[in-house]
Amino acid sequence: MTSIVLVRGDITQQHVDALVNAANSSLLGGGGVDGAIHRAGGPEILEACRALRASHYGKGLRTGQAVATTAGRLPARWVIHTVGPRFTHEEDRSELLASCYRESLRVADELGARTVAFPAISTGIYGWPIDDGARIAVETVRATPTAVEEVRFVLFDERAYEAFAAQVR
Ligand code: AR6
């Protein structure tokens, strides 16, 4: 049974086996969680991302997919990079957002990670409404078979924390 834990804070401070990065397809960094992870983890993460782009991910990482690198100087062993969908009213991209959580857990299982920290993927720069983003995150983790023992959602602000708390109550 996977336990779901909610923490209000900064994902880069979490002592876990793996933490998930809300990246973009380029894998070469950005703002939000992505920027914070690269800043705190140091240049090793970017080097590993560049190596991925030079090998299997020449065109970048597709939305809904996930791939792991070193966590550099972070207090974790791995960073699992995933690319959330941008929110739009024109099209329902919920399945792609669910895929980010599923694929990240699949990669975590491949690595043998037992504790995994997630941010609220797509709910920042990519504009996903936080209540719906929280619902998809919690429902998907609950429905995904995995050997991960603890999924820790790390929520940056009170609003996001409350949205997740409403889902796990
Ligand atoms: N720890 C935990 N959560 C955080 C942190 C942090 N240090 N910083 C922000 N958040 P975002 P996205 C929250 O924008 O929407 C980047 O440029 C934030 O409040 O990081 O998936 C990438 O390169 C929000 O709730 O990711 C992409 O281009 C959540 O994390 C794009 O942003 C996600 O916000 C991805 O956008």
Side-chain angles (χ1 to χ4, degrees):
M1 214 8 219
T2 309
S3 61
I4 293 180
V5 174
L6 306 185
V7 170
R8 168 125 189 240
D10 179 348
I11 200 165
T12 66
Q13 311 282 311
Q14 304 298 313
H15 292 250
V16 282
D17 293 334
L19 55 86
V20 175
N21 180 18
N24 62 63
S25 293
S26 81
L27 290 173
L28 301 178
V33 184
D34 196 7
I37 285 173
H38 281 282
R39 265 194 310 279
E44 245 191 290
I45 302 176
L46 189 56
E47 272 167 40
C49 288
R50 288 213 174 98
L52 288 172
R53 289 298 308 273
S55 55
H56 286 16
Y57 295 89
K59 291 181 180 164
L61 182 64
R62 284 165 54 194
T63 304
Q65 302 294 106
V67 67
T69 66
T70 171
R73 296 194 293 255
L74 292 168
R77 287 181 70 185
W78 302 283
V79 172
I80 298 171
H81 306 264
T82 189
V83 182
R86 284 175 197 273
F87 182 80
T88 164
H89 288 287
E90 275 69 62
E91 188 187 12
D92 182 4
R93 296 178 177 167
S94 305
E95 189 43 43
L96 284 169
L97 183 54
S99 174
C100 289
Y101 290 97
R102 259 196 313 270
E103 287 297 304
S104 296
L105 288 173
R106 189 183 59 72
V107 170
D109 281 337
E110 277 175 13
L111 295 167
R114 292 292 177 263
T115 52
V116 179
F118 280 94
I121 300 165
S122 287
T123 67
I125 293 164
Y126 282 179
W128 207 284
I130 187 67
D131 293 328
D132 197 52
R135 179 187 62 79
I136 291 168
V138 172
E139 282 182 5
T140 306
V141 167
R142 282 186 172 146
T144 304
T146 172
V148 171
E149 290 161 7
E150 179 187 321
V151 165
R152 191 181 304 174
F153 289 110
V154 183
L155 295 323
F156 209 42
D157 56 41
E158 191 58 29
R159 179 74 188 84
Y161 185 91
E162 285 307 320
F164 276 74
Q167 294 298 324
V168 300
R169 253 171 218 143

